[in-house]
Amino acid sequence: MNSFTIDLKKTSGSPLYEQLYRYISGEIRSGNLKKNEKLPSKKALASHLNISQNTVETAYFMLMQEGYIYSKPRSGYYVCDISDLVPLPKVTVPAVSARPEEKYRYDFRTNAVDISSFPFKTWAKLNREVVYQSPELLFAGDVRGDRCLRESLTKYLREFRGVRCSPDQIVIGAGIEYLLTLVCGLVGPGISVAVENPGYGRAVSVITNSGREVKYIPLDSDGMRPDLLRESGAGLAYITPSHQFPTGIIMPIRRRAELLSWAAESDGRYIIEDDYNSEFNFAGKPVPAVQGIEGGGRVIYMSTFSRTLAPSIRIAYMVLPEELMKRFFEKFGRYSSTVSRFEQHTLCRFIDGGHLSRHLNRVKHIYRRRRDRLASTLLSLPCSPKLRISGESAGLHLIVEGPESLIKKALDNAMRENIRVFRLSDYYFEGKGREALILGYASMPEEDFKPAVELLFSSCN
Amino acid sequence: MNSFTIDLKKTSGSPLYEQLYRYISGEIRSGNLKKNEKLPSKKALASHLNISQNTVETAYFMLMQEGYIYSKPRSGYYVCDISDLVPLPKVTVPAVSARPEEKYRYDFRTNAVDISSFPFKTWAKLNREVVYQSPELLFAGDVRGDRCLRESLTKYLREFRGVRCSPDQIVIGAGIEYLLTLVCGLVGPGISVAVENPGYGRAVSVITNSGREVKYIPLDSDGMRPDLLRESGAGLAYITPSHQFPTGIIMPIRRRAELLSWAAESDGRYIIEDDYNSEFNFAGKPVPAVQGIEGGGRVIYMSTFSRTLAPSIRIAYMVLPEELMKRFFEKFGRYSSTVSRFEQHTLCRFIDGGHLSRHLNRVKHIYRRRRDRLASTLLSLPCSPKLRISGESAGLHLIVEGPESLIKKALDNAMRENIRVFRLSDYYFEGKGREALILGYASMPEEDFKPAVELLFSSCN
């Protein structure tokens, strides 16, 4: 073959060399250009197509790089033998069905925050400062997260949660799920993980996906039962002592000590304290963390900014006991941190500048008012004496229990009226659980409480 | 006990109720207040301490919540029995040694970018717009990442990498390590993973940490050897065909087809195509992705913005075949995305506004000049005829080979002169590998090339 006839489009979006490359590689793949066939010289082709020799050179170079053609010194370019290659399958772009965003008339979701109170201006300003002032943050940082944020968190944790740690023990990561995955990688194989029943389904997903067996431990009125934990043979216990999810139980000091005692009984046992929502305690100061009672040898403390800032800001952190910190470096020392350094430093300035505590005070006030408003709306129902509200001293949702028929009707009403509520029974992993409504109030406008509650309990009298 | 003598500090940082709470809980823990001992009434204590009754109420409420005290109706408050609790260990804050940031005289690091060309202004501006204009981004988003970014990536991948996919198949995550961890969770137990030898150590860490066995497959001049891959019994093959890490081999079409043929031979086999650095091809258009040749049934395509933007911006993504996408929803459907939605949307606007391609053109130009400058510096050495430079047509580092004694001396010089270089032999997981210097040039100022190279090869003549 001495030349090609190609319709090169100078005004097309793709450069000429690329059009040429595509044409020739297509001809080779389709068999129109046979193996060992000689291609036109660069000079001849350039002149034939009225394009620069550089363009041809680039296309030929790409074809060589990819193994479509080869060159013989002082002779020219030839087609490679690709005839015996597997026939390449036809391309089909699959349509994986995405779950559509559902819209509710009223939404008692539990995983949301009050959008309007987010300090957009401060956040954007701090972020801009960080981007402008700290170009060196473009380089990879410490696998645990940057020291600046770990120091801010150490102070914050000491002051607000009674957690005692050094910045060296903190690992920052993009969400509790990610951190829990790391933790599952830090303990020996075959160690199973105890989880509260009812409890947090995502934690169960993570633990199971990490290849570990989950043991479901029933609760009594103080939280996870230590006797059943001990019987289970688990080596890790994942608990939510500040505000048990979803029941809202605040674990008393005695139970905390009993669980610590379980951990101390045998080498390699740890409590994973997920301190979610602890900032939203509406009766005085939040209960201090288990980690602080014990000193940190047996407790892996975890928390997140999902609720204190927003679910979409993916910054969580954990405090590892010294022994596990060493293992962390061995196993994960080569990883990169999962949180953008720009966002880490924005958050660091946000905490150090006092914006976080101001923000927390502001939203705590809002959430307390919402909780009160929702509770009083429920208590003003004609059937309110039959209802029992719990979980109200902390967290961002209420539990509403009552006679089976009444709760069942409320769930039916929710379905019919397109109101999102959650049911306590859905949070049981095994056994028949109590039934109750879980009503999250963080993101619902207050004026919606009355109509939503009245629809739910329309048959309540 | 009828009352306490506490030195409450009205001007202290911590509120009075908290000081009171701390004092009483301390007295109970230390045994100064015994079980069943009665506490002063709220009214009496308030009057005694000259504080409001509300303050006492709050402190008592906290003590009750935590199980330090209990109330008897119409009688008062009493100390709980915590005498049999395990003695709580002393707190020591461990000092986990952090690895100090090392400072080099000259740094040929391979994982860096040119800081000065980062579009700080545009990035900060877009970020600010996103934060201001999209408050709804505070809510949790799609586990795969937001549709807006997945759509931008689909177009970008089609245009620049020949990847054919739908936005539904894309999963965005905080780094290749995280995505690779997910992939390891998508295939059946017992499936081992083939990795290029020499190759990318972090990938090996992730695969091993996911509990999978790694099979090291030697390379020939075209990349991973298909015969040895087949013998290995692996079910997944992790490859870097655009620019093999670290050797810089660009895998020819024939080898790509051979590996695809291996994948097609048996159900459940997949190629993981890590397309890192593919944007920095200095000879025409980058070689299209393996995924695009094949259509995506057997290829898991992965890439990252670590090099195209910066290592600290933690946004990577993968394209999953339909079958694995289904499994992804089953296993990880409840997870949250690991990338902040603010950053996702900033990047989305960055791509859609044409900023990414402009930025890439700009840095490609800079990096090509640096590569040329570094290469010509090496070629102007007296001993340059003894040196062989490779890996130069793509990526952001060069491989320099030569006589053993010369390379050894260069490594000694690097050590003595505090110059960071990497050695090819360190990237072999087994077997004795070739020795060579790996010189990353992305972040080193050009004027440093000459003095650094002259120090390295001071004994070269």
Side-chain angles (χ1 to χ4, degrees), chain A residues 10-11 61 105 129 138 140 176 225 228 305 347 365 371 441:
Chain A
K10 299 216 177 180
T11 54
F61 186 88
R105 183 165 171 193
E129 277 174 26
L138 291 176
I176 290 285
R225 282 180 53 183
L228 298 176
F305 286 94
L347 179 55
H365 180 75
R371 177 201 64 160
Y441 49 79

Side-chain angles (χ1 to χ4, degrees), chain A residues 3 42 45 143 271 307 319 361 393 435:
Chain A
S3 205
K42 292 186 271 193
L45 188 56
V143 53
I271 289 172
R307 303 299 175 86
V319 178
N361 284 338
S393 23
E435 190 53 290

Side-chain angles (χ1 to χ4, degrees), chain B residues 193-441:
Chain B
V193 186
V195 166
E196 297 160 329
N197 186 31
Y200 188 47
R202 282 196 192 185
V204 170
S205 296
V206 173
I207 295 160
T208 311
N209 285 338
S210 303
R212 299 199 173 269
E213 197 188 343
V214 174
K215 308 283 192 180
Y216 301 106
I217 313 293
L219 311 176
D220 59 19
S221 60
D222 287 347
M224 184 182 270
R225 281 180 54 182
D227 54 334
L228 297 178
L229 169 60
R230 197 165 277 114
E231 274 173 28
S232 75
L236 291 174
Y238 171 85
I239 57 172
T240 51
S242 286
H243 189 243
Q244 203 275 331
F245 187 85
T247 63
I249 295 170
I250 297 172
M251 190 183 282
I253 179 78
R254 160 175 285 277
R255 180 57 52 85
R256 290 171 191 235
E258 283 165 344
L259 294 182
L260 283 170
S261 155
W262 163 83
E265 275 164 25
S266 175
D267 268 359
R269 281 189 184 165
Y270 293 98
I271 289 171
I272 304 170
E273 176 179 25
D274 184 344
D275 203 28
Y276 97 102
N277 261 6
S278 63
E279 295 84 356
F280 302 115
N281 184 297
F282 300 120
K285 186 97 173 164
V287 182
V290 176
Q291 199 270 5
I293 304 176
E294 185 261 359
R298 293 294 190 165
V299 177
I300 299 160
Y301 176 90
M302 285 190 182
S303 194
T304 169
F305 286 93
S306 281
R307 304 299 175 88
T308 44
L309 286 172
S312 71
I313 292 182
R314 308 303 301 148
I315 310 185
Y317 52 97
M318 63 178 171
V319 179
L320 288 178
E322 195 170 7
E323 185 58 35
L324 294 185
M325 198 67 224
K326 278 185 210 139
R327 243 177 282 168
F328 174 84
F329 278 121
E330 284 160 26
K331 287 202 78 170
F332 304 116
R334 303 182 73 165
Y335 283 38
S336 303
S337 164
T338 44
V339 183
S340 151
R341 291 181 78 191
F342 286 152
E343 290 214 332
Q344 288 187 51
H345 284 253
T346 303
L347 179 55
C348 170
R349 288 177 188 217
F350 192 78
I351 297 175
D352 293 354
H355 303 290
L356 180 64
S357 33
R358 272 196 292 282
H359 173 65
L360 282 177
N361 284 339
R362 200 163 44 232
V363 291
K364 225 173 127 169
H365 180 75
I366 294 169
Y367 292 146
R368 184 190 281 118
R369 208 179 55 209
R370 284 203 185 151
R371 177 200 64 159
D372 293 346
R373 186 93 172 250
L374 178 58
S376 69
T377 308
L378 288 161
L379 293 173
S380 67
L381 288 168
C383 62
S384 72
K386 298 182 202 158
L387 298 176
R388 200 173 79 86
I389 296 175
S390 60
E392 76 288 359
S393 22
L396 301 173
H397 63 257
L398 296 179
I399 307 281
V400 183
E401 287 172 283
E404 202 183 320
S405 62
L406 193 62
I407 297 299
K408 203 190 155 302
K409 262 187 201 148
L411 289 167
D412 290 346
N413 290 340
M415 182 77 82
R416 201 184 50 243
E417 302 290 346
N418 195 27
I419 301 172
R420 176 150 66 170
V421 299
F422 295 89
R423 17 193 328 167
L424 181 57
S425 60
D426 283 344
Y427 293 86
Y428 284 83
F429 304 109
E430 49 180 39
K432 195 179 141 33
R434 282 151 63 200
E435 191 52 289
L437 301 183
I438 300 178
L439 303 180
Y441 50 78

Side-chain angles (χ1 to χ4, degrees), chain A residues 187-188 190-196 207 212-217 224-238 259 262-272 298:
Chain A
V187 294
I191 288 177
S192 57
V193 187
V195 165
E196 297 159 328
I207 296 161
R212 298 200 174 268
E213 197 188 342
V214 174
K215 307 283 189 178
Y216 301 106
I217 312 294
M224 184 181 271
R225 282 180 53 183
D227 54 333
L228 298 176
L229 169 60
R230 196 165 276 115
E231 273 172 29
S232 75
L236 291 174
Y238 171 86
L259 295 181
W262 163 84
E265 274 164 24
S266 175
D267 267 359
R269 281 189 185 165
Y270 293 98
I271 289 172
I272 304 170
R298 293 296 189 163

